[in-house]
Amino acid sequence: MEFLLELLVALTVLFILARLGSMLFSRLGFPGLIGEIIVGVIVANTALAKWIHLDFGSDDSDIYTVVYVFSELGVIFLLFSVGLETKVKDLLGAGKPALLAAVLGVILPFVAGMALVMMANGEMHAAMFMGAAMVATSVGITARIIKDMKLMDTREARIIIGAAVIDDVLGMMVLAMVKGMSEEGVSAVDIAILAIQATAFVLGVILICKYVMPKVYDYFDKCKRKIVSEGKVPWSFNKLIMAVIVCLSMAAFAEFIGLAAIIGAFLAGMLFADHAWEWDLEHKIETLTTFFISFFFLSVGMQVDVNDLMNVSVLIMAVIVILLALVTKFIGCGFGAKLGDKELDKTGVHIIGVGMMPRGEVGIIVASIGLASGVLPSDLYAVVVLMSVATTIIAPPILSKLFRKKYEEEYKILPDDRI
């Protein structure tokens, strides 16, 4: 009974603080996740952690174990939500500009991040995780800006969204390779098998989405129409429960074959993407995600060592990584889009490059996996967190300015618009 009381108090305090931090930063015009991360840093480095009996980082702490499980579920549901927005038809029909933007936007950051860490400390596995973290693109912030400006129908917006979809899939495959190669005793044959498994997993889900899921949806519709035609009350099942079961099952399967659980969750979301809006899955799963993901971003902050942030060498490395993260995405995605569409003007190329810059939560997730596996040291983990936060803050205002520059007519007040 005493443990249950301590656990409930700890979870309540942590969740309230996380939501307050998120609300505060949202009101200031920043992504709420930044507020949750900062709250985590404060909790871990003050007496508050002891007050709520949270021995963070200790495997012997039962409360820490619960928080860790909640944070892992948060990441799984978050990637499932991303998958719900990733339709196979968009992936297959993204077009040459989006494809080249995504591919070059993956290669350049990965090579740059890996080369930097190799030059700094020579740790191959840590370098690979740094490269994987820099590959990730969180297009949620970009999509929000484009929607707010009512420019989703522009050529640049379509290329950005298409490239982001492909980038997500490529990023998951890169993470699978890096995670597999970081494990001890892994041979070249094991890596080859893992690469085949990852590719087969992704291609298998794409084929199921394209050929099997439409028949499943048609079957349910036929059953429903038949029952209604017979004058019976139409039966229904809880789509959310089915979606959660599939999500957790595929996440478990991904872990079982040596991939990250979030890869399975992401692919599970893709299975339901075509009917996510019809079944209201995005809205329903958002409730689960909002609760659990707060604990993930809290744990991200809790694992940041304040002493690392005070280290001049760590701050210098963070500045270099931030610049590399911005420049490689800008050049890679912009140049790739231009190669695929020669008619894109200079401002359009810049819009696509900036739109793919934010790393957001995805880069942090990759870093957390690296830290948990013992491959990524705490100082580089802090660098990735700073990079993810910085790129998420820097990109939106630049993107908004570029859009207004190119589509100036959309914001002019004409005589007919005046009251």
Side-chain angles (χ1 to χ4, degrees), residues 251-305:
F253 179 73
E255 278 286 328
F256 175 73
I257 64 176
L259 305 178
I262 60 172
I263 297 173
F266 171 77
L267 295 175
M270 286 180 62
L271 289 176
F272 297 96
D274 286 334
H275 287 256
W277 183 84
E278 178 187 343
W279 288 2
D280 196 27
L281 283 181
E282 293 181 22
H283 180 261
K284 291 176 180 177
I285 207 73
E286 184 181 356
T287 304
L288 282 172
T289 304
T290 300
F291 174 70
F292 286 112
I293 201 61
S294 293
F295 292 97
F296 171 72
F297 290 122
L298 279 171
S299 67
V300 166
M302 289 174 179
Q303 294 178 89
V304 174
D305 190 340

Side-chain angles (χ1 to χ4, degrees), residues 16-26 31-36 39:
I16 290 174
L17 290 176
R19 298 316 301 163
L20 288 175
S22 178
M23 288 172 56
L24 174 62
F25 274 74
S26 295
L33 64 91
I34 296 174
E36 293 176 335
V39 167

Side-chain angles (χ1 to χ4, degrees), residues 82-96:
V82 175
L84 288 176
E85 300 174 1
T86 308
K87 296 182 179 180
V88 170
K89 63 180 180 181
D90 295 335
L91 181 64
L92 299 178
K96 189 177 178 181

Side-chain angles (χ1 to χ4, degrees), residues 5 56 76 89 165 177-178 188 208 211 215 239-240 261 299 368 383 388 392 403 409 415 419:
L5 176 61
F56 199 86
I76 287 172
K89 63 180 180 181
V165 171
M177 297 299 100
V178 169
I208 292 173
Y211 298 107
K215 294 180 180 179
K239 280 98 171 174
L240 176 63
S299 67
S368 297
V383 168
S388 299
T392 304
F403 263 123
E409 295 295 326
I419 300 175

Side-chain angles (χ1 to χ4, degrees), residues 60-82:
D60 297 328
S61 171
D62 291 331
I63 294 180
Y64 160 72
T65 301
V66 174
V67 172
Y68 172 77
V69 170
F70 276 24
S71 68
E72 290 297 303
L73 287 173
V75 175
I76 287 172
F77 288 130
L78 176 65
L79 267 295
F80 180 72
S81 300
V82 175

Side-chain angles (χ1 to χ4, degrees), residues 129-146:
F129 266 102
M130 175 61 78
M134 290 180 66
V135 161
T137 292
S138 177
V139 81
I141 301 299
T142 299
R144 173 87 178 266
I145 295 169
I146 297 172

Side-chain angles (χ1 to χ4, degrees), residues 41 78 160 171 215 219 242 263 387:
V41 174
L78 176 65
I160 289 173
K215 294 180 180 179
Y219 172 76
M242 182 180 69
I263 297 173
M387 178 271 292

